[in-house]
Amino acid sequence: MIRISDITEKVQSYIPSPDIDLIHRAYVFSAKVHKGQLRLSGEPYLTHPLEVSAILADLRLDEVTVAVGLLHDTVEDTLATEAEISELFGEEVVFLVNAVTKISQITFASHEEKQAENFRKMLLAMAKDIRVILIKLADRLHNMRTLEYLSREKQIRIAQETMDIYAPFANRLGIAKVKSELEDLALKYLEPEVYAELSRKVTEGVRQRQGIIDEAIKIIQAKLKEYNTEGIVSGRTKHLYSIYQKMKRKGISFDEVFDLMGIRIITNNVRDCYAALGLMHSIWPPLPGEFDDYIAMPKPNMYQSLHTVVIGPGGHPLEIQIRTYDMHRTAEEGIAAHWRYKERDKLDKSYDERFVWLRQLMEWQQDLKDPSEFLHMMKVDLFHDEVFVFTPKGKVMSFPQDATAIDFAYAIHTEVGHHCVGAKVNGRMVPLRYRLKTGDIVEIITSPNHHPSRDWLKIVKTTRAIQRIKRWLKTEEKERCLALGREILDKELAKYGLSYLKLQKKGDLLKVANRFGLVDTDELMVDIAYGKISARQVLSEILPQETLQLKSEPSKLKKVINKITQRKGEGVKIKGVDDVMARFAKCCNPVPGDKIVGFITRGRGVSVHRANCPNVDPFLYGTERLIEATWDVQEDVPYQVEINVRCADKPGMLAKITAAISEASINIITADVKTGRDASARCRFTLEITNLKQLEKVINSIKMIRDVIEVERASSYLSKNKMEPHASPTRIIG
Ligand code: MN
């Protein structure tokens, strides 16, 4: 068991005159309240806070953080109270203990909304004090180290959460030390076989590789000495998870990963980095395309280094990283290295400059009301790889992988984004969807008459662009809705000799709006445009019932409409809306049993889609216009469904397929067979089914037939004649 003196010694090694008393008091308190508690490993519980505190001391954090490491579980797991800790240790400590406790209570449930909410909480905690997340990472690291004592089920859940959330966070904060260990431990529990295999292979070849590395180190040391360049040369090993990632990413075998081991040179200053690089290239030829200058272009997590790959001793490719001592600390400890213990309340300036992404996330989380949208952004920003491009003036800008010219335009200025029509990349014209590559010099071409389109949302990658485009679309849509709502209402009013303007002047419309719980008439117009409120509902608030009934539309008209809209929303319930026009969307043709959702169209009521239909994608269209819809089919109502079958063009195939359909007691309405040039046949059947299960069953049984290549559901519609389920009116039961 680690001792408290080990921890205080560590702290003394990097803080000139530390508040050792604080750490001691925290230790005594923690030991007292955790007394008698055991971990699942059988060890005294106190080992956990001690280890966490030691990890924090390894990250060279201040005394308060190290002390909170000792206290972090006291409020949650012992009888100790907030008041007690506050009295003994002060506000700063109690704030941190509470924040860490709160994060621990969040479980990252698989449910997307909940997960987004948790991210948000974590960010908020981080925003107040970055030490919160550092303590949480240390806590998680020790828990991962001791994960073997938990049940398999818990191991998997915790390991997955570590891989999904904590490791990316550690990476984003630049704490490579913690990130690598978290990833390796998570891999061990998530993919035990892979982990075992990789560790075996790494150990097997280690002696041979070490030989090569030792030889290279000797050569390098001699060369540096010869040219009076100071530098510490060492070997470094790639961690298992990053080997695994590389194998998966590049589709290569273990033996093809050449940088299992590499060389690291740590120099005193930047000039020596470049000098050392030159020397390396003079000993061994560099591999083209493998040189990266992260000193001139640091990664967003502050990482700086020169990377090169040379053809080393014995013709083996050898990766060499060159950096200064400061850069090395930043690479290993990230934000922790920049958190100066002397300025407890603020981080140093480079934090502010380099961790732009963190600041942006904070801003976004305030802006984004929709959790799933936030989660999407979060993932993009947490996991992306970077490309670096230049403005015509030579300014470097970084973007996520696959970012487009539109992203670039929005990064320059919102107005440039709104009006961009094309781009010049390295002097050549490219379309807006062009994906940026590192090294590109990008210039945006704008036109005052050009505006954003919804399609842009499908290709842009940066949060900034997505947000600006959405905001623009929203404003524009609201304007169109206002005009449409007014038009609809005006027409209806005209029938009774009323005018919109007069009613508006008298304040009557505002009264109506208020009665519907709306703030102003604008909102009323928008709701009319979307069909949430009908013009007749508005009229009934203005005119006496008798006047209205006198001129009420003949039901004949409704019948005509029914005929035109081929298939209406019978058998569907739309949540909270009564008497709304609903129809099935033609794009996806839902059938009872499908998960469905209502989409409020502008002035055309609700269209009912399959929940996974791309035309109701909440990311593109937002969630405001979605409305819950459920099936309300009492009896089995026949629906027509089309299926496409692709099969080998052989005799007897059609007979086999139709037999399978008949066996399922399904009627075939139409059948259409075409033979293709590729010795295959395409059959299209219209079937009469009563529910989705029946359809799935028959599709599966067709799939089982030999020589059938593919079966898929095409589209479906409800026949308006003989199969109309019941002669019910178009009204939807709310
Ligand atoms: Mn803990």
Side-chain angles (χ1 to χ4, degrees), residues 39 45 48-49 52 72-73 76-77 104 136 139-140 143:
R39 297 204 101 211
Y45 194 89
H48 172 64
V52 170
H72 80 275
D73 275 332
E76 196 176 14
D77 296 336
S104 310
K136 187 60 207 163
D139 179 38
R140 176 51 60 110
N143 284 334

Side-chain angles (χ1 to χ4, degrees), residues 293-364:
D293 186 344
Y294 293 116
I295 292 181
M297 289 190 279
K299 292 188 181 183
N301 67 7
M302 306 167 89
Y303 179 88
Q304 286 187 295
S305 259
L306 298 174
H307 287 190
T308 186
V309 178
V310 296
I311 312 291
H316 296 286
L318 182 68
E319 204 213 34
I320 304 174
Q321 300 176 347
I322 307 167
R323 53 175 76 146
T324 64
Y325 179 72
D326 278 349
M327 292 173 191
H328 181 60
R329 264 201 68 190
T330 303
E332 294 289 303
E333 296 164 16
I335 199 165
H338 289 257
W339 204 89
R340 286 197 206 132
Y341 65 89
K342 275 179 188 160
E343 301 165 38
R344 270 169 210 161
D345 299 323
K346 54 175 192 210
L347 299 170
D348 71 30
K349 266 188 196 143
S350 56
Y351 161 81
D352 226 38
E353 282 160 23
R354 302 284 176 72
F355 283 85
V356 179
W357 66 275
L358 192 60
R359 239 189 314 130
Q360 281 176 345
L361 271 177
M362 303 303 172
E363 283 169 26
W364 297 329

Side-chain angles (χ1 to χ4, degrees), residues 105-119 157 161 164-165 375 379:
Q105 280 160 351
I106 340 182
T107 48
F108 292 90
S110 55
H111 197 271
E112 263 210 350
E113 283 191 12
K114 214 171 171 189
Q115 203 181 343
E117 206 38 54
N118 293 335
F119 264 127
R157 185 180 62 75
E161 191 180 279
D164 288 347
I165 291 155
L375 190 66
K379 278 183 179 159

